[in-house]
Amino acid sequence: LVSATFVMVGAVLDTIGVGPELSAQLTNIHRAISNLMPLLVSASIGYMLSIRLNLARAPVAFLCLTFSSIANTVLLQHSPAAAAFQMPVAIVIPLVALPWLRWLVDQHWAQLNRDSIAGNNVRRALELVIPGIIVGTAIAIVIKLITLTPGFSHLTLSFQLDVGGMPYFSGILYALLNSTLWFFGIHGYHALLPLIAQFDAALVVNQLAAIEGRAIPNIMNGAFLGSFVFIGGCGATLGLALAMLLRCKNRSLRMLAGASMPIGMLNVNEILLFGLPIIFNPKLLIPFLFVPVVNVALALAATQAGLVSPAIHAAPFNSPILLNAYVATGNDPHAVLL
């Protein structure tokens, strides 16, 4: 949300033609935060697992940052397309590496000084040094071997979508995959970052085309999805929250819907996903899957018919509803109505 605020303010300044240098700075800050996200996610998961595994929390978080940095470096050396897998890899690394780390900590031969007279914090940090070196080296070797396999190159290519040539297929496929993952409690946005990177790249092409005065080539792009498809978060659940507020007689559910509305306006809906719940709720599966699909079809049809301007400005998923559509389309009021 902090990152989205920076890029949203930058996009507004860029749209009204005020403070181009400040706008560029804010956009760069957003980009820097986005680049850090895989590392931060890995450290966060590692910190939580360290509690369960009885390991020193802060050192484990730092080790997870290190492990993810190692993996990211190896991926970037392979190809730019492989870099799109940074987030999924960052999520998996602490889940796999920390049990190894726990086992190594229990091995006498892997300790620098088991009988250290130093304080408990120092001793618990020292016990992670040799295990951390071993696990970090193993991660580097495993990731390198994976990138060298022909199957990994095919997997990288299989994640390529023809966003410009097949906008309906690309948008509907992403919407279905995202909702399906979230239904099982898996963070769809992070899990599908290889696809999101392609939608964001399509938006960059649109920006260059707008600057050069050419026709906008990619109706389907990242700003389009955030503005017109996932209204209120994955599954487009803002309508569900409104329906609960207006029609539900259960006071607890109305309170739940009211609590979800403020962050729902920023396309964040974890309160409904886990509180209602929507996750593992078969009664809500069909609308959760297909409302975003309907949104894709309607918004694409309206844009292709010329009723709404194509999205040409960055508007992240967490941008405020209505304002994101207005900014993304270059101040088109019809986008707000849509």
Side-chain angles (χ1 to χ4, degrees):
L1 293 177
V2 172
S3 179
T5 300
F6 280 117
V7 76
M8 197 64 192
V9 173
V12 171
L13 292 176
D14 186 54
T15 301
I16 63 178
V18 174
E21 292 183 1
L22 177 58
S23 173
Q25 272 191 335
L26 293 173
T27 302
N28 288 335
I29 290 172
H30 164 72
R31 189 175 295 116
I33 295 173
S34 298
N35 291 336
L36 281 174
M37 280 305 295
L39 302 179
L40 299 176
V41 167
S42 191
S44 175
I45 296 173
Y47 186 92
M48 297 305 297
L49 281 177
S50 69
I51 300 172
R52 177 177 296 182
L53 297 174
N54 193 27
L55 294 168
R57 299 174 192 179
V60 164
F62 294 148
L63 277 176
C64 287
L65 282 170
T66 304
F67 296 157
S68 291
S69 296
I70 292 169
N72 290 349
T73 301
V74 176
L75 286 170
L76 286 169
Q77 288 176 342
H78 176 74
S79 74
F85 290 88
Q86 288 178 341
M87 181 63 80
V89 169
I91 294 171
V92 169
I93 278 178
L95 300 175
V96 175
L98 261 60
W100 293 1
L101 208 63
R102 175 70 263 178
W103 182 83
L104 286 167
V105 165
D106 293 334
Q107 308 307 306
H108 185 78
W109 56 266
Q111 295 305 309
L112 278 178
N113 187 0
R114 181 174 287 276
D115 300 320
S116 172
I117 61 173
N120 185 57
N121 289 338
V122 175
R123 181 184 61 79
R124 296 198 73 195
L126 285 174
E127 72 182 12
L128 291 167
V129 173
I130 293 176
I133 293 171
I134 294 172
V135 173
T137 303
I139 287 172
I141 294 171
V142 169
I143 296 292
K144 185 63 177 179
L145 291 175
I146 290 174
T147 60
L148 291 176
T149 59
F152 183 78
S153 298
H154 293 319
L155 178 64
T156 303
L157 292 174
S158 69
F159 271 84
Q160 301 303 308
L161 292 174
D162 186 4
V163 176
M166 302 177 66
Y168 282 93
F169 175 79
S170 301
I172 289 173
L173 176 64
Y174 179 82
L176 285 173
L177 288 174
N178 183 68
S179 293
T180 301
L181 288 169
W182 266 115
F183 182 77
F184 292 101
I186 301 169
H187 199 298
Y189 181 87
H190 288 161
L192 297 174
L193 270 183
L195 298 183
I196 284 294
Q198 296 170 56
F199 289 114
D200 289 342
L203 181 64
V204 173
V205 174
N206 284 4
Q207 291 172 330
L208 294 175
I211 292 171
E212 297 169 0
R214 296 184 285 109
I216 306 302
N218 300 313
I219 297 176
M220 174 58 63
N221 54 67
F224 177 97
L225 290 171
S227 299
F228 302 122
V229 179
F230 300 110
I231 303 169
C234 58
T237 54
L238 186 65
L240 175 61
L242 287 170
M244 289 169 64
L245 280 174
L246 295 173
R247 303 287 297 174
C248 187
K249 296 180 180 179
N250 185 300
R251 183 172 177 271
S252 297
L253 291 181
R254 286 205 311 274
M255 289 179 61
L256 183 73
S260 72
M261 286 296 293
I263 61 169
M265 295 300 292
L266 298 172
N267 288 336
V268 177
N269 63 343
E270 272 81 347
I271 291 178
L272 284 181
L273 291 174
F274 294 98
L276 189 56
I278 294 174
I279 290 171
F280 289 120
N281 187 340
K283 294 181 180 180
L284 292 175
L285 175 59
I286 290 177
F288 190 63
L289 285 176
F290 290 105
V291 169
V293 170
V294 173
N295 288 351
V296 168
L298 289 176
L300 277 175
T303 307
Q304 288 178 333
L307 301 176
V308 176
S309 300
I312 57 173
H313 291 291
F317 278 7
N318 299 126
S319 307
I321 289 174
L322 302 184
L323 179 61
N324 58 0
Y326 186 70
V327 171
T329 55
N331 304 349
D332 183 2
H334 299 105
V336 178
L337 293 174
L338 178 61

